[in-house]
Amino acid sequence: MKRSTHAVRAAALAGTVALVLTACSGTDDAGTDTDTGTGGGETSASGQPLTIGTLLPVTGSLAFLGPPEIAGVDLAEQEINEAGGVLGADVEIIHADSSDAENAEVATQSVTDLLSQDVAVVIGAAASSVTLNVVDDITGAEVVQISPANTSTQLSGYDPYYFRTAPSDVLQGRALGNLLAQDGHATVGFLVFNDDYGITLRDQAKEAYEAAGGTVVYGNAGQEFDPASDDVIASVVTAALATNPDALVVISFDQTKLLVPALAAAGFDTSKLYFVDGNLADYSADFEAGLLEGSKGTLPGANAAGEFRERLLEVDPDLTDFAYSAESYDAVILSALAAVRGGATDGPTIQQNLAAVSGAEGGTECAGFAECADLLESGEEIDYEAVSGAGPFNEDNDPSAALIGIYQFGPDNKYTWVSEVPGEL
């Protein structure tokens, strides 16, 4: 049995990885065959094509994440259908907008629409706060939800039908905290909005940074700012700079476009800024050239480069950001492989087989839908080699291992990949 040779996945598989679910055979209440053993057939047991909905940001403060995530989904759909589809039928994708937490009604309506169209899987949302508003509706309908970008620790093990291909903030926080220490900053401040995402990521980074000997001088508990108020920007900047930090971590979304110019105007060296996945973006059209030169950021997942990036650009030639594109691609491929393994395209069958096709039960290493589906149809167990570098799902339906990318901004205020840090849970 061939094992994964990727360093991160090898580390994850070598450790103790709990099985999320075991394969079984049976019949559901409606009498539908839910055989979850390996080996598919020419048609699904339900007689229905695999229908996947997306709940990704087209509007709102995270709209910059939408294009790469949607491109990842569309690329996976294209490859699956070119390989003959799932159980003899083409995969069908239905796109819907998640917007953001400040426009919660958008995601709520999108979920209602998707469920009315009998989707078996929902890919999304990007924001953890959006997911927390709708996850019960999705999973309560026995529809699988797989987020390519949720990182909140609150979502680990949330529901048997909830999965994610992005790692929790534990890994990104560790990487960020260690990066701050390695860059020689003795004191650091956090400009963090009062949101579950911001607070949990701050807490994880703070823990790792302080463990390495650093001191957090601003942005501790109780010093978060209201994400809905632009009026607080000046007071937050003044309070943070009064503590004379060596570096500042900005954990926010759209507020970043107000915070950075305010910090520069107050005399702070903006090359000492650090960003996270929620605001690591192309700012070439937003800031004066050179404003962010030298600043850094972290982003979960492998760098979307080489052949994979070229294929994404064939799907969407206008892409400028590639964040979470690989995780979105992986989510669709895993869903399709789970349907093949279980022999049906309904939510419960996919839920029962996701862990197995991710490699949680061992199997032959394979890449891409066609190769992995062929192995499944020949009766073999598989270990899908995730493009994102994520390890098999653990007992909390989180990736058991992942890569955290380190990026740096150039004089054009665009970020480029510098290195990556492996981590495991």
Side-chain angles (χ1 to χ4, degrees):
M1 179 172 63
K2 185 179 179 184
R3 304 303 302 147
S4 170
T5 56
H6 192 293
V8 173
R9 289 173 58 87
L13 294 174
T16 302
V17 179
L19 301 183
V20 179
L21 292 162
T22 55
C24 60
S25 300
T27 304
D28 64 14
D29 293 339
T32 302
D33 181 5
T34 58
D35 183 0
T36 59
T38 56
E42 293 186 357
T43 60
S44 73
S46 63
Q48 299 294 322
L50 174 58
T51 304
I52 296 175
T54 68
L55 188 66
L56 299 169
V58 178
T59 62
S61 59
L62 288 180
F64 73 94
L65 289 177
E69 291 173 335
I70 292 169
V73 169
D74 288 346
L75 175 60
E77 176 196 22
Q78 174 183 304
E79 292 185 2
I80 292 166
N81 291 343
E82 286 177 351
V86 173
L87 304 174
D90 282 354
V91 171
E92 298 179 1
I93 302 292
I94 303 171
H95 290 299
D97 185 17
S98 66
S99 193
D100 54 29
E102 294 180 17
N103 298 282
E105 71 283 355
V106 175
T108 300
Q109 184 60 54
S110 290
V111 168
T112 299
D113 294 342
L114 290 172
L115 294 180
S116 72
Q117 297 178 76
D118 296 326
V119 298
V121 179
V122 171
I123 307 297
S128 297
S129 54
V130 173
T131 286
L132 288 165
N133 284 334
V134 299
V135 61
D136 292 337
D137 293 331
I138 297 171
T139 60
E142 294 191 327
V143 170
V144 173
Q145 180 176 0
I146 311 177
S147 173
N150 288 168
T151 58
S152 170
T153 55
Q154 189 175 346
L155 286 163
S156 291
Y158 186 89
D159 186 279
Y161 277 80
Y162 174 81
F163 295 77
R164 55 182 167 189
T165 48
S168 80
D169 284 325
V170 171
L171 292 189
Q172 185 179 188
R174 287 176 189 166
L176 176 58
N178 290 332
L179 176 63
L180 292 165
Q182 290 165 7
D183 284 351
H185 302 302
T187 61
V188 165
F190 286 84
L191 300 180
V192 54
F193 58 6
N194 191 12
D195 169 273
D196 178 67
Y197 161 78
I199 290 172
T200 55
L201 184 52
R202 184 273 316 275
D203 289 347
Q204 294 297 327
K206 179 176 183 290
E207 180 180 347
Y209 175 65
E210 290 179 337
T215 301
V216 174
V217 294
Y218 183 79
N220 291 293
Q223 293 180 312
E224 304 86 6
F225 66 87
D226 181 0
S229 174
D230 294 340
D231 297 335
V232 300
I233 299 299
S235 61
V236 167
V237 167
T238 299
L241 295 186
T243 63
N244 196 31
D246 291 340
L248 285 172
V249 179
V250 180
I251 304 178
S252 66
F253 295 151
D254 271 356
Q255 301 85 0
T256 304
K257 295 176 183 178
L258 299 174
L259 285 165
V260 171
L263 288 166
F268 185 75
D269 181 355
T270 51
S271 70
K272 302 296 178 61
L273 290 176
Y274 290 78
F275 299 87
V276 291
D277 59 315
N279 59 1
L280 188 69
D282 177 350
Y283 292 107
S284 57
D286 301 296
F287 300 145
E288 180 183 349
L291 185 60
L292 292 180
E293 185 174 5
S295 60
K296 296 181 180 179
T298 55
L299 177 68
N303 181 33
E307 182 185 357
F308 182 67
R309 178 175 292 209
E310 292 174 4
R311 287 185 289 155
L312 287 170
L313 288 170
E314 290 176 0
V315 171
D316 183 353
D318 296 326
L319 284 180
T320 56
D321 285 302
F322 296 86
Y324 295 117
S325 55
E327 287 81 357
S328 301
Y329 172 91
D330 287 338
V332 176
I333 297 294
L334 285 165
S335 298
L337 292 173
V340 172
R341 184 180 187 272
T345 58
D346 57 283
T349 296
I350 293 169
Q351 185 267 348
Q352 291 163 8
N353 287 275
L354 271 170
V357 297
S358 75
E361 298 181 14
T364 302
E365 177 189 333
C366 57
F369 175 77
E371 179 184 355
C372 294
D374 285 347
L375 290 171
L376 288 171
E377 289 169 352
S378 68
E380 291 193 48
E381 293 288 2
I382 65 168
D383 173 8
Y384 169 67
E385 188 75 5
V387 175
S388 64
F393 291 120
N394 63 17
E395 60 187 355
D396 291 326
N397 293 349
D398 288 341
S400 54
L403 298 168
I404 305 296
I406 309 299
Y407 295 80
Q408 188 163 27
F409 282 90
D412 56 359
N413 295 324
K414 296 180 180 182
Y415 64 93
T416 56
W417 182 86
V418 175
S419 62
E420 59 192 16
V421 180
E424 57 183 296
L425 296 172

